[in-house]
Amino acid sequence: MLWLLLLILPCLGASVPGTPGPERPGIVGGCPVAARSFPWQVSLRFYSMRQHRWQHQCGGSLVHPRWVLTAAHCLEPQELGACAFRVQAGGLRLYAPGEELSRVVQIIRHPEYNSSLGAAGGADIALLRLEADVPRGRGVPVSLPAAALSIPARKICWVTGWGDLGYHRPLPPPYHLREVAVPVVGNGECDQRYRNSSRHRPAIRDDMLCAGDKDQNSCQGDSGGPLVCRWNCTWVQVGVVSWGRCCGLQNFPGVYTRVASYVPWIRSYVPWFSGP
Ligand code: ARG
């Protein structure tokens, strides 16, 4: 019997007390991003009078050199116009000396987003049109999924951002972008988990997608950023960071806006971009 226990022990990995595991601080969990791995990631900025700088507010992604996809709840209150925001593309670290910000000239919030329900009400998606194309050296757009794409449960995808490392644990300077691998959780299972803590029915709508596990999740400040999966060597953005209960709790995956549900809407504004 003992030999059996010895055989399976190493497989339990980090769950065995005292086993030295890989370093796992996060976005929640994860690692710092190496140059050029997620070149579509942008930081959405809002001017802070207190800090006298364009402060990181949310993530976003380039879906075209002139268009950013983000979450509608990142652009609250609704009265705020395009000039209240800037976009930083191409930087791995926030507020790096000499960073260049792009002006936003148009905000398109999804018409079904309901700001009184917030992200949990669904349609948490928005587009930003930039004043000029982001040059290739500072950003490469990510591919959008086919509208019919279904994403299998347990597929491993990646989420990136400058958000908190855990509950009330902000990312410290030099604010280096982080990535973490997260398993997709089926909508039925995710709805079960959120059922008791949400006043919405279903808690997880069809236009949402869940992903994450204990210590592998998105968190505050990651909102609006991309969840990407790889198919045949192509990265496809399947989700937009939207909401979740705390961060990195075992039974509460992160909840994302399901991009495939909104591809026709996105395509009605964003021209096709066939790559470099
Ligand atoms: N709503 C948050 C934001 O504004 C992000 C939510 C992600 N939370 C989570 N538990 N996965 O940044």
Side-chain angles (χ1 to χ4, degrees):
M1 238 17 216
L2 186 64
W3 64 270
L4 188 65
L5 188 65
L6 287 175
L7 262 180
I8 61 168
L9 261 182
C11 312
L12 298 176
S15 62
V16 178
T19 304
E23 196 216 350
R24 284 264 220 76
I27 161 174
V28 175
C31 315
V33 165
R36 283 188 288 274
S37 311
F38 296 91
W40 40 80
Q41 174 83 44
V42 305
S43 155
L44 177 63
R45 306 293 180 83
F46 181 79
Y47 195 77
S48 158
M49 298 285 196
R50 204 156 51 92
Q51 314 229 32
H52 304 288
R53 69 177 178 194
W54 289 91
Q55 188 77 18
H56 172 80
Q57 165 109 345
C58 267
S61 57
L62 287 171
V63 290
H64 177 280
R66 200 172 288 214
W67 288 88
V68 168
L69 185 64
T70 189
H73 85 258
C74 289
L75 306 168
E76 310 244 69
Q78 304 264 348
E79 298 71 47
L80 287 176
C83 56
F85 298 96
R86 296 272 159 95
V87 163
Q88 207 288 318
L92 285 178
R93 293 181 173 181
L94 300 177
Y95 321 121
E99 69 172 10
E100 288 181 52
L101 301 183
S102 300
R103 285 174 198 275
V104 176
V105 291
Q106 187 183 9
I107 296 183
I108 305 167
R109 298 170 175 90
H110 195 281
E112 280 155 35
Y113 174 74
N114 179 333
S115 57
S116 53
L117 296 179
D124 187 15
I125 193 162
L127 288 164
L128 308 173
R129 185 160 60 90
L130 305 179
E131 184 182 53
D133 286 8
V134 168
R136 219 193 120 67
R138 287 208 284 121
V140 181
V142 66
S143 298
L144 292 173
L149 180 75
S150 78
I151 301 121
R154 287 183 284 279
K155 184 171 173 73
I156 302 295
C157 300
W158 274 261
V159 59
T160 43
W162 290 277
D164 292 356
L165 302 181
Y167 192 59
H168 289 309
R169 282 178 56 214
L171 179 69
Y175 312 112
H176 193 103
L177 180 66
R178 300 189 68 89
E179 56 165 292
V180 67
V182 285
V184 170
V185 176
N187 277 38
E189 183 179 343
C190 193
D191 189 63
Q192 291 282 328
R193 298 191 189 174
Y194 273 101
R195 193 164 282 249
N196 295 330
S197 58
S198 166
R199 57 200 167 90
H200 299 283
R201 287 292 175 274
I204 306 300
R205 298 171 18 137
D206 290 347
D207 73 335
M208 296 173 183
L209 171 79
C210 300
D213 205 342
K214 184 167 158 42
D215 299 329
Q216 294 167 287
N217 213 327
S218 43
C219 199
Q220 237 47 39
D222 292 321
S223 276
L227 172 71
V228 292
C229 316
R230 218 152 69 148
W231 274 279
N232 304 327
C233 307
T234 303
W235 291 96
V236 176
Q237 183 174 352
V238 300
V240 175
V241 179
S242 180
W243 60 282
R245 169 125 185 250
C246 294
C247 304
L249 287 185
Q250 184 147 32
N251 292 316
F252 294 98
V255 187
Y256 296 78
T257 306
R258 189 180 284 269
V259 176
S261 305
Y262 292 101
V263 166
W265 177 76
I266 296 170
R267 285 282 166 231
S268 71
Y269 294 99
V270 179
W272 283 89
F273 176 72
S274 48

